[in-house]
Amino acid sequence: MGRLLKLREAHKTDAPATCSVLWAHDGSHLATSCASDTEVLIHDLSAPPPGRSGSNAGSSPVVLRHHKEGVTAIALGPMAGPLASGSFDHSVKLYNFPVGSFQGNVTRFTLPIKSLAFNKSGSLLAAAGDDDGIKLISTIDLTISRVLKGHRGSVTGLSFDPKHDYLASIDSFGTVIYWELSTGKQLHTLKSIAPNYNSDSSVLNTLSWRPDGEMLAVPGLRNDVVMYDRDTGEKLFNLRGDHEKSVCSFCWSPNGKYLATSGLDKQVLIWDVDLKQDIERQKFEERICGLSWKPVGNSLAVIDVVGRFGIWDNPVPVSMKSPTEGVVLNEPHPLFEDEDEEVLGKGISCYSGSLDDSIEKGSGDFSPISRKRVKKRGPSFDEGEEVLQEIDSRKRRKESENKRGDGGIRERAVRMQDAFQVGFTPPQQGKRRFLCYNLLGCVTSLENDGFSHVEVDFHDTGRGPRVPSMTDYFGFTMAALNEKGCVLANPCKGEKNMSTLMYRPFGSWANNSEWSMRFELEEVKVVALGKNWVAAVTSHNFLRIFTESGLQMHILSVNGPVVAAAGSGDLLAVVNHASDCLSSGDQVLEIKVFNINEATQTISGRLPLTPCSHLTWLGFSEDGRLGSFDSKGNLRVYSDQFGGSWLPVFSADKARKSEDENYWIVGFNATKLFCIVCKSPESYPSVMPKPVLTILEFSSPLASSDLGADEVENEFMMTNLQLSEIRKKIKDMEAFGLDVTALDDEAFSLEVKLDRCILKLIASCCHSDRLVRATELARLLSTQKSLKGAITIVTASKLPILQEKFSTILEERMLDDLKTPEPIPTGRSNGKTAYSVQPPVRLSPMMEKSPDLNNRTPNTIKPQIKSSPATETLKLVKARSSTPENLAQGEDISKERELGSKLEKLATFVKGKGNATSEVTGKDVSSSATGNVKPELKIPINPFARVKKVT
Amino acid sequence: MAGQTDHSLSIFSAAEVEFIAEDEMIEIVPNIRMDALNLLCGDFGPFLPQIPCTVPLWLAVALKKRGKCSIRTPDWMSVEKLTQVLEAERESPREFQPLPFHYVEISRLLLDHAHDDIPEVYMVRSLIEDIRNVRFHKVESGLETISGRTHAVKLKNLSAMEVNVVRPFMARVLQAFYKHDSPEMVQQADTSASKRPQVVDRGPRVSLSCVTC
């Protein structure tokens, strides 16, 4: 719209001052105010004199002269709610709207008021200014329900969350605070995210929730508007474009699809928020400081700093969706009552917009009508059929709104995420950026006069080769790096610049061993690098694999558009879209892991993500485990447990120390995550200064249990996981006949660590009286020493029952040890010497499941443990007391009975070993158990038990 | 500059104080991969590129000289913190702001050897110099208030280098006062012939540039 909008003078000002404009909820009236004028004006637009072209030509406005000094802020309640005004005279007043009669003073401040806001239901009014604290005033009885203190400067903007959970406020320093309305606490404090106007009182910072409450718009520091997440306060995206100076005011369209912004550069821009694109603009003579969308229609009211206002019709081009489409109008009155006058009068342009859209197909026969109406304007047209049509169309509109209800969500939801290169940062004007950053080094690029300089740096300057920087005429945007070389690729830009893949080895015996490939009509999407191979996935869904010297080895097809790829050693992981996003906004991703050298596929399946998040990182740890990281900050690691599954091992929400930290992951190892911590507005690191890695411990997303020992429980989980990984590795290496002594040592030290952890858990179980769980934990202990430790713990906490139980377990364990020497020779005869090195370890139930471990000691472990006199003890114990634990053990016993003759044989074997067995039979049970075993066993037998049994 | 000029009076030379300060711990970011160092004073490392770890200052400087690490500037050495400290020092003429005991030596070592790791190095350098001057001035002006009846001086938050400079002088002054005071005290006791305990006669503790935190 090229023509200049005509503005009409409303307030007289000598100097530029902040002015505000508001629409009545039905679009019939406009309220304006000005900081250098004591009057508030209510312009009635419903009775425009005929012949005037703009709808901004109303009769003489209602003037409210109640303030003694300039009016700085006005706010309007929902429906025909009250109008509130705040002024330099420190008072807040309420008026009936649109009549304009004075209702009363709401509150007084000690300093000027700068901002006002009603919540969506109109029950609360927030007022703030230069005073220390935001006052929340209940509009029903005009009492102050809460004072929120926390801003250091004067509060210039307030906005209630439409869902009524939060209040957002901004001060003149540019600090935004999210307040929780139910508690009055500060949820997030985002410091200095908006321009600092502390020295310039003519500009007031504002902020505004999107009508659906999902995001908060705040003016940014780079002549943009930045959107922040509703709950986390994280930066979502920004609208940056043609504003040459800071944005000073903005307003969401009623449906939240468009945003009107005005800048200090005297421009007003209309944005399509979903496309993040400005769609319309208008330049004004003076800076526009107030904007307001018409609640019903495609018009925008603007007011400039000299107190002139105007109405911009059709700021959103008619070809696009109406700014009010999709709004659920909460109208208090039924359609047929008093709406004819109000709504029919003004709704013209809005209906034309929404009509065109709401009637899906045959909009042809409706458009003339709307055009006719545009020509007619105003309520002068005769009633009758027009009204009927109007009502009819409204009904249809409502229907289509309902239909669109779910569609709207889908539209808002995440799109299928684009392909990304692991470890890259988005380009920034004039700044160096990472093409690839991993634990080894980084590839950086700086664009300069049309071509870029690409540098390769290794973190370990002692070992990595020095790579000369190169000038890049292709415009590389993707890179992958390992010890031997780096691969670079660029997307195609237009027809001239084809997509190119280039590989640079860092050391080679031959000169000129750098190579490049060009792709016609095909675009490289992601690249990956491994041991002696280079992989690239292209827009044709081809996975191309080259050797290190540039030989084209394999071309495979990928199932869908690629998302990311990562390589390490022989393994290549490729993630692609399996289908379109779910309606809930979840990405549907699929992962495949290939072993390039063996030409096999090792993993294939869906890649799990946190709901509504997208993949941000994919990679292998140094020991070859695959991990994925999503935008909600969760790290998942692939494990062979349960037939191959992804275990969540880290959550940024839990680990985060302060709200404004973002974790940009670089890599992980068995127990830790390596990441770069970025302060909140930034979500990725910059090249200078050199980022420093932070190490974070893994933590499982455990439920909060009744033990109150979350850390120990977490350690227990993690150590168990680690142990199972190591056991798997031992098994793999044994299969190849390799030496596993070092790994065995590692496994042993892990077992010790696990035991320590279990002991702590037993202690906390004893504290909180979880005896069954304590017994179960005791069974998981792997060494006798720690079992004895456990007995000491329960003795100290005076739990004789547990003591008894643990002693029984220990007895079983010792008997088991007595027998273990037996199977070892058979193990040796198999030629697997490694077993002899291994300590006699009782396996936790989880371990026992793995088939190899059962094979290892084919007929020893489980059945024979209890085939000893200890079982008899158990039976007797069971007979005496019938607690549930004992019953549970009784099941085991019945199983053992089935083992029949085998057990008898073993019993004789044990008897043969024990020297005092023959005398034992008639004796007390507990002593019979001890009599069979070595004398040292007498030590742990607890005194309580004995006393109990004697009595 | 009572004691500052005459270094022969100090117990330690500046270099010696610096040597002591080198045992302070500091965070470095190595750019090499190296196993843990098992030293007499403790185990440090293992060193992994780009992952920060804490080592004694002497080790940090040694590694820095070989280009094996970058030193992370301590929190108190940021321009923001130093400006605050300087302001506070200027505002309170009788108090010293809490700074690390070896702040003079640490900042000197870092400015000498790791100036490329310090953001806004010139600003930091001049701020530290200012702070040092303000504090020395405070010490000196405080010394003037020592009178004949002073027997002890309480100084809080004084740093190693500052103490080192003034201690010998101060001790001698107090000693001298004490020596010259004693006959007078004896005389007093004779003339008044009172049996007051001597403690009362001992001068009050003058708190010179004293702090009560």
Side-chain angles (χ1 to χ4, degrees), chain A residues 459-461 463 674 691-693 695, chain B residues 29 31-33 49-52 72:
Chain A
H459 301 321
D460 189 347
T461 50
R463 260 178 243 183
F674 301 98
V692 172
L693 295 180
I695 304 177
Chain B
V29 181
N31 56 17
I32 45 153
R33 186 179 286 264
Q50 290 310 110
I51 293 172
R72 292 186 102 179

Side-chain angles (χ1 to χ4, degrees), chain A residues 774-826:
Chain A
T775 324
E776 197 172 78
L777 282 165
R779 288 197 181 277
L780 295 178
L781 287 169
S782 52
T783 63
Q784 289 188 9
K785 203 179 159 194
S786 29
L787 244 180
K788 284 174 194 163
I791 292 173
T792 331
I793 290 173
V794 290
T795 318
S797 45
K798 303 213 169 58
L799 291 163
I801 316 168
L802 273 188
Q803 206 176 2
E804 202 175 312
K805 290 241 171 269
F806 287 8
S807 309
T808 324
I809 299 171
L810 183 62
E811 281 162 28
E812 288 168 15
R813 205 60 71 74
M814 287 186 145
L815 282 171
D816 182 25
D817 279 1
L818 268 182
K819 279 169 276 160
T820 32
E822 192 73 4
I824 280 177
T826 55

